[in-house]
Amino acid sequence: MDALTMKKLAGEFAARYVEPHMLIGIGTGSTAYWFIQALGERVKQGLQIQAVATSKESALLASSFEIPILELNNVDEIMLTVDGADEVDPQLQLIKGGGGALLQEKMVAAASQRLVIVADERKLVQQLGKFPLPVEVIPAGWKHVRRRILDMHCPKVELRGQSQPFITDHGHYILDCYFEHIDDAHALNIRLHQIPGVVETGLFLNMATEAIIARADGSIQIIKRES
Ligand code: 5RP
């Protein structure tokens, strides 16, 4: 099974988790796409739900499938959020933000009772860090933040988009940090947040409650967080 088919399998599987009248969080990326599409089909058939989106892109997509979208500020607790990830370790710690939506994704995840990750098996890693860690930063100070991260023994830090910087939904830049391996994700997250100009990091720690992993043989593996 190729990557696209695995993403479709995981995304569509997650759509079954949604029950009538739920307030759900809608993720961003090419795996979340299939979740949104499958959910849209259920909405067309009469399923009543409301949703909060993790990006402008996902809000547009969901609206095109007639899924009602609410602003995060206008809701209390989200029952279930389904989102993708760039790396998933055995404890369900994540790197996210490959699509640049990490800030809104983290705010939505933090407001959610359950965060279910949809991914294909290539995203499973023993240790986080091979995927460059996205860090969202204030544009006016990005060069200083970059220097501080390089000083933290990160071999390479790139401004996403380089001469035409990628601008996030919230008007910030992204630094992609090539740590290669992250030994202590909690400590790193704290150190990054201490740098003035850092808005958010792509480390999603102790947030995911479950992962739906599509395997190349067509099977689904469910990983649940140990409580
Ligand atoms: C966007 C994200 C995505 O969820 C992550 O990059 C995974 O994307 P895909 O499912 O396309 O591989 O964090 O900011």
Side-chain angles (χ1 to χ4, degrees):
M1 196 175 258
D2 61 14
L4 189 141
T5 317
M6 283 191 274
K7 285 171 188 243
K8 186 168 186 283
L9 188 67
E12 290 180 346
F13 192 91
R16 299 185 209 163
Y17 283 37
V18 179
E19 291 168 18
H21 308 295
M22 269 187 165
L23 171 61
I24 61 159
I26 281 185
T28 298
S30 56
T31 318
Y33 169 88
W34 294 107
F35 166 70
I36 299 169
Q37 206 207 42
L39 195 58
E41 286 303 318
R42 291 189 59 198
V43 167
K44 268 192 208 147
Q45 288 160 17
L47 176 74
Q48 290 191 4
I49 52 157
Q50 291 183 308
V52 173
T54 54
S55 63
K56 290 180 180 163
E57 183 192 316
S58 288
L60 269 179
L61 185 65
S63 298
S64 77
F65 292 123
E66 290 168 30
I67 300 171
I69 296 293
L70 303 178
E71 291 296 321
L72 180 58
N73 269 330
N74 293 339
V75 304
D76 291 325
E77 204 167 32
I78 297 167
M79 293 164 186
L80 163 75
T81 288
V82 174
D83 203 349
D86 301 299
E87 284 188 345
V88 181
D89 86 0
Q91 283 73 45
L92 295 189
Q93 312 294 32
L94 316 170
I95 287 184
K96 284 185 50 54
L102 61 147
L103 175 56
Q104 182 77 9
E105 287 175 332
K106 204 180 259 192
M107 290 194 292
V108 170
S112 302
Q113 288 168 11
R114 291 166 69 197
L115 172 62
V116 174
I117 295 302
V118 283
D120 61 83
E121 64 177 4
R122 301 167 316 152
K123 305 286 182 71
L124 286 178
V125 296
Q126 279 308 311
Q127 186 178 31
L128 299 177
K130 205 85 199 132
F131 189 91
L133 176 67
V135 176
E136 186 153 346
V137 296
I138 298 291
W142 74 267
K143 289 187 181 173
H144 291 271
V145 177
R146 179 173 178 271
R147 251 178 255 136
R148 295 279 299 269
I149 299 176
L150 284 167
D151 287 346
M152 290 166 59
H153 306 293
C154 183
K156 189 166 85 169
V157 179
E158 276 181 352
L159 178 65
R160 190 175 295 182
Q162 311 227 358
S163 57
Q164 286 198 307
F166 173 90
I167 312 275
T168 70
D169 281 355
H170 293 287
H172 305 128
Y173 287 175
I174 288 186
L175 295 174
D176 288 309
C177 307
Y178 291 73
F179 281 99
E180 292 298 329
H181 50 87
I182 296 173
D183 294 325
D184 185 340
H186 288 274
L188 177 62
N189 200 35
I190 290 168
R191 286 187 70 193
L192 288 169
H193 273 286
Q194 283 168 343
I195 303 173
V198 167
V199 179
E200 195 46 271
T201 81
L203 287 167
F204 284 53
L205 307 176
N206 301 344
M207 295 190 106
T209 48
E210 186 173 334
I212 297 172
I213 306 292
R215 297 244 168 228
D217 63 7
S219 64
I220 290 278
Q221 179 187 4
I222 309 281
I223 308 173
K224 291 196 178 175
R225 187 171 78 197
E226 286 170 25
S227 47

